[in-house]
Amino acid sequence: MNACRAAAPQVEANRVFEITLTSEKTYADPFNDLELAAVFDAPGGKTLRVPAFWAGGQTWKVRYSSPAIGTHSYKTECSDAANAKLHGVNGQVEVIAYTGDNPLYKHGAIRVAAGHRHFEHTDGTPFFWLGDTWWMGLCNRLHWPEDFQTLTADRKQKGFNVVQIVAGLYPDMPAFDERGANEAGFPWEKDYSRIRPEYYEQADRRIDYLVSQGIVPCIVGAWGYHLPWIGTEKMTKHWQYLVARYGALPVVWCAAGETAMPYYLAKDKKKDAQLQKEEWTSVCRHIRKVDAFSRPLTLHPSCGVPTRSNVTDPSVADFELLQTGHGSHEVIAPTIRQIRAARNAQPPVPVINGEPAYENLLNKIPADVCRALFWVCMLNGAAGHTYGANGIWQVNRTEQPYGNSPGGNNWGTLPWPDAMKLPGSAQLALGKKLLTQFEWSRFEPQPNCVQWDDPATKDAALCASGLAGKVLIVYVPKPQAIAVKELGAEKDYDAALFDPISGERKPLGKVRTAADGTWRSPKPDGDHDWVLLLEAAR
C-alpha cells in the first residue's frame, strides 16, 4: 500500500509563509560563517531566490509571500553543502486567495506605478502615501504592546498608511546609546561581531502589527553616519539580514537616513560625507541584488538636497524621500522649489516629502505650517506626504524625555501621547480624505491657472493641481479672492470651498467662466487658509 503524500501547507496570497530550518551541525559563528537561501518556483515560471536569516543558535528561517495563486515549490541552498538539514531541503506551499479586508493583502504590496509619478498596489490600485515619522519607534521607550498599539490605532483611524521607522541604528545618538535599546537590548554586539536576533524578535512584533493594521513599514536600515563605524561589509550584512527578515512583508526600504550627513562630532566630516555617499551606493546595489521581492528602495537625504544627489549612482533610488527643512512659514517657499525640482528631474520618480517641518519642534512650529506643507507638496505633484510630530519621532515619555542630541540640541519634551493629539495629524488626514475622492493619481500641477485677484498680494503657496477641463483644486493660503484661468470659455463648474482645519465643505453652486476662460472666486469667511474645488458640471 502506497503512503499518502502529505498535503502542502497553505498560505493566503500576499501573506507570509515561514520555513524554519535547524542545522545538524554546530557553528561557532553561524551569522558570519554561513549563507543560506531558498529558491522558489512560482506558478507561471517565475523563480525567486529568497535569502534566509539567522534566528539564533542553530536555527535559520526563510520568509516568503506571493500574489500568485497555486502551488509554489522550493529548494534550499547552503554555503555548507554537507549540511543536509540546511542544504537541498525541498518543499511546497499552496497559495490560496486572500479573503480579508487588509488592503496590503487584498491589493498587494506597493510599488512604483508605470508612469513613475505615484505608487500603486500590486493589482494596480493607486496608493496615496500618508506617512508618519516614528524614527525610534522600535525602542523600548515606546512600550509594547500598549503604547505601540495605541499610537497605531490613532494613525490608522486618521487614514495614515505608512510609518517611517529605523531598524535599530538610530539618528541623534551615538552608537549603543541606552535610549536606543529595546526589550532585548541592541541590534548588534558592541564590537559589531554579529547581529543580535533577540533585538529583531522584539522588532518583529511591532513591524508585523503595523502590517496587520494596513500600514506599510518604511524600514530605514540605519542613520547614515553609522556606516563609518560599522564598515561597509558589516552594513551590507546588516541590510541583507533586514531584507531576509522583512522582505516578504509589504514594506518599503530606505537604505539610510540623512545618507551623507557625518556624525555630529566626527573629526573629518568632509571625508566621512564622501565615504558615506560612495559606500551607501554600494549597499543599495546589494539590497537590489538580494531582495527577491523588489520592494521600492530609496534614501533619505540631508536637508534641501535631492535623494539622488546623496549617492554616486542615482539609479539606485526608486523614489525621492526629501527633507525640506524645519521652521515656520519661511520654509514653505523653499519647499515648493524643492518639490518642483525633484518632480521635474529626469528620469521621473515619485516624490515624497519625507521630513517636512515637525509640528511643535522646539515647541514652536504650529499646525498651520504642517498643513500648508501638505497642500503645497501635493498640489505640486508629490505622490503623498509624511507628517512628523516632535515627541513622537524620538519617543518622549513623561518620566523619560529623550534629552539632548550629540550636537547639544534638545528638540522639546512633549510626551508622545500628547504629541499624538496635536492638531496637524488630523488636518493632514482631512486633506488626504478630500484628495482621494478624486482621480488624484492622474493630477498634474497647474501653476499657471491661479493668481491673486489683487496683484499686490504675494504668497508663493497659492498652488493648483487637477485634470484640465475636469477638476481643479486650489490651495489658497490667505482668505482673499483669487482669479482662476484656463478653465475653458463659458464653461460651467460646480464650485465649493473646503476648510482644511475642520473638513467642512461649503458649496458655492454652479459657476460659469468668462469668454476668456477665467473666473473670480469670492473671498471666504474666516482668517485662515482654504481650498477651492472646481468640478466640471455634468
Side-chain angles (χ1 to χ4, degrees):
M1 186 173 179
N2 293 329
C4 294
R5 185 173 182 178
Q10 292 184 333
V11 65
E12 289 184 318
N14 298 309
R15 303 196 71 167
V16 174
F17 168 66
E18 184 174 279
I19 306 165
T20 299
L21 301 164
T22 303
S23 173
E24 65 181 5
K25 298 169 63 175
T26 299
Y27 298 92
D29 188 1
F31 175 70
N32 290 301
D33 291 347
L34 285 184
E35 288 286 338
L36 181 64
V39 178
F40 283 81
D41 291 317
K46 188 174 183 179
T47 298
L48 299 179
R49 189 177 193 275
V50 181
F53 65 90
W54 176 53
Q58 305 306 317
T59 302
W60 291 74
K61 293 184 178 183
V62 179
R63 291 174 177 169
Y64 177 74
S65 64
S66 176
I69 305 300
T71 301
H72 300 238
S73 60
Y74 64 85
K75 184 176 182 179
T76 63
E77 297 178 349
C78 181
S79 56
D80 182 359
N83 191 331
K85 295 293 185 180
L86 299 183
H87 184 74
V89 178
N90 293 281
Q92 291 184 329
V93 59
E94 187 77 15
V95 177
I96 61 175
Y98 175 70
T99 57
D101 59 3
N102 186 325
L104 300 179
Y105 298 141
K106 183 177 180 179
H107 300 296
I110 71 168
R111 65 188 183 190
V112 175
H116 300 282
R117 291 300 189 193
H118 70 280
F119 298 99
E120 65 182 13
H121 292 273
T122 306
D123 69 357
T125 302
F127 179 86
F128 188 117
W129 174 305
L130 184 60
D132 199 17
T133 307
W134 305 6
W135 294 138
M136 302 180 193
L138 296 182
C139 76
N140 196 36
R141 286 176 294 112
L142 189 63
H143 292 174
W144 173 267
E146 60 275 17
D147 294 354
F148 198 92
Q149 293 186 1
T150 296
L151 183 55
T152 300
D154 180 86
R155 278 9 193 185
K156 178 182 178 180
Q157 185 274 327
K158 289 173 178 171
F160 285 80
N161 56 7
V162 177
V163 163
Q164 295 172 189
I165 197 163
V166 180
L169 303 178
Y170 291 120
D172 221 48
M173 63 172 71
F176 303 105
D177 188 300
E178 288 296 331
R179 294 173 292 183
N182 72 10
E183 300 91 329
F186 297 110
W188 279 77
E189 300 291 350
K190 289 189 176 181
D191 60 357
Y192 295 115
S193 58
R194 65 187 60 85
I195 211 158
R196 298 186 67 248
E198 304 95 322
Y199 176 93
Y200 290 101
E201 288 172 8
Q202 303 303 321
D204 282 0
R205 300 188 297 180
R206 294 165 166 88
I207 290 173
D208 288 345
Y209 188 74
L210 288 174
V211 173
S212 77
Q213 299 304 299
I215 295 175
V216 175
C218 176
I219 296 178
V220 184
W223 223 247
Y225 60 68
H226 284 264
L227 192 145
W229 297 340
I230 195 171
T232 305
E233 180 181 357
K234 290 293 175 65
M235 187 61 78
T236 299
K237 289 183 71 68
H238 175 77
W239 253 110
Q240 180 158 328
Y241 191 86
L242 297 180
V243 168
R245 191 148 199 148
Y246 302 118
L249 291 167
V251 299
V252 169
W253 305 128
C254 177
E258 292 185 309
T259 311
M261 186 192 82
Y263 183 59
Y264 309 88
L265 307 178
K267 294 181 180 179
D268 191 338
K269 292 186 177 182
K270 184 176 180 180
K271 178 181 177 182
D272 281 1
Q274 185 59 34
L275 171 73
Q276 289 169 218
K277 186 174 180 178
E278 293 172 356
E279 297 308 307
W280 276 116
T281 306
S282 174
V283 173
C284 284
R285 289 180 178 136
H286 187 76
I287 294 170
R288 285 204 182 282
K289 178 181 176 183
V290 299
D291 178 15
F293 304 100
S294 300
R295 303 306 187 204
L297 171 63
T298 191
L299 305 101
H300 173 58
S302 301
C303 182
V305 299
T307 292
R308 291 180 284 182
S309 72
N310 264 210
V311 286
T312 57
D313 177 7
S315 71
V316 300
D318 293 318
F319 64 101
E320 292 277 347
L321 191 68
L322 304 175
Q323 178 183 175
T324 59
H326 296 282
S328 194
H329 293 84
E330 74 277 2
V331 305
I332 295 174
T335 294
I336 293 171
R337 292 194 293 270
Q338 192 174 350
I339 292 291
R340 288 175 174 173
R343 193 174 188 275
N344 292 331
Q346 296 298 319
V349 295
V351 176
I352 299 289
N353 192 348
E355 189 177 334
Y358 292 158
E359 188 169 6
N360 203 50
L361 190 76
L362 299 173
N363 303 311
K364 64 182 182 181
I365 296 177
D368 63 305
V369 171
C370 303
R371 184 174 70 246
L373 290 170
F374 169 87
W375 283 104
V376 301
C377 289
M378 291 308 307
L379 298 188
N380 279 286
H385 192 75
T386 297
Y387 167 81
N390 194 57
I392 292 178
W393 69 266
Q394 77 274 53
V395 193
N396 283 331
R397 300 186 64 81
T398 302
E399 74 284 3
Q400 189 183 12
Y402 178 72
N404 290 350
S405 76
N409 294 320
N410 188 309
W411 303 109
T413 58
L414 187 71
W416 74 263
D418 297 325
M420 181 180 73
K421 299 172 185 176
L422 290 170
S425 60
Q427 292 168 13
L428 268 63
L430 291 173
K432 176 191 172 185
K433 185 176 180 180
L434 175 72
L435 289 173
T436 52
Q437 295 173 21
F438 301 91
E439 293 183 276
W440 64 269
S441 63
R442 297 180 56 216
F443 278 13
E444 289 289 336
Q446 309 287 338
N448 299 321
C449 283
V450 289
Q451 65 184 41
W452 294 105
D453 195 42
D454 180 356
T457 302
K458 304 292 182 185
D459 195 320
L462 179 65
C463 299
S465 186
L467 295 172
K470 294 183 178 180
V471 59
L472 187 71
I473 298 182
V474 184
Y475 177 67
V476 189
K478 299 176 180 179
Q480 297 182 24
I482 63 169
V484 188
K485 305 181 293 180
E486 301 180 12
L487 295 176
E490 299 180 340
K491 187 170 181 177
D492 291 334
Y493 285 84
D494 292 317
L497 293 177
F498 175 79
D499 185 329
I501 297 176
S502 69
E504 180 184 1
R505 188 165 174 167
K506 179 182 178 182
L508 299 178
K510 198 177 298 294
V511 302
R512 172 163 285 198
T513 63
D516 62 357
T518 63
W519 174 74
R520 283 173 169 75
S521 76
K523 180 180 181 295
D525 297 330
D527 59 356
H528 60 79
D529 52 344
W530 52 289
V531 177
L532 171 67
L533 311 175
L534 291 171
E535 297 179 75
R538 296 170 182 170

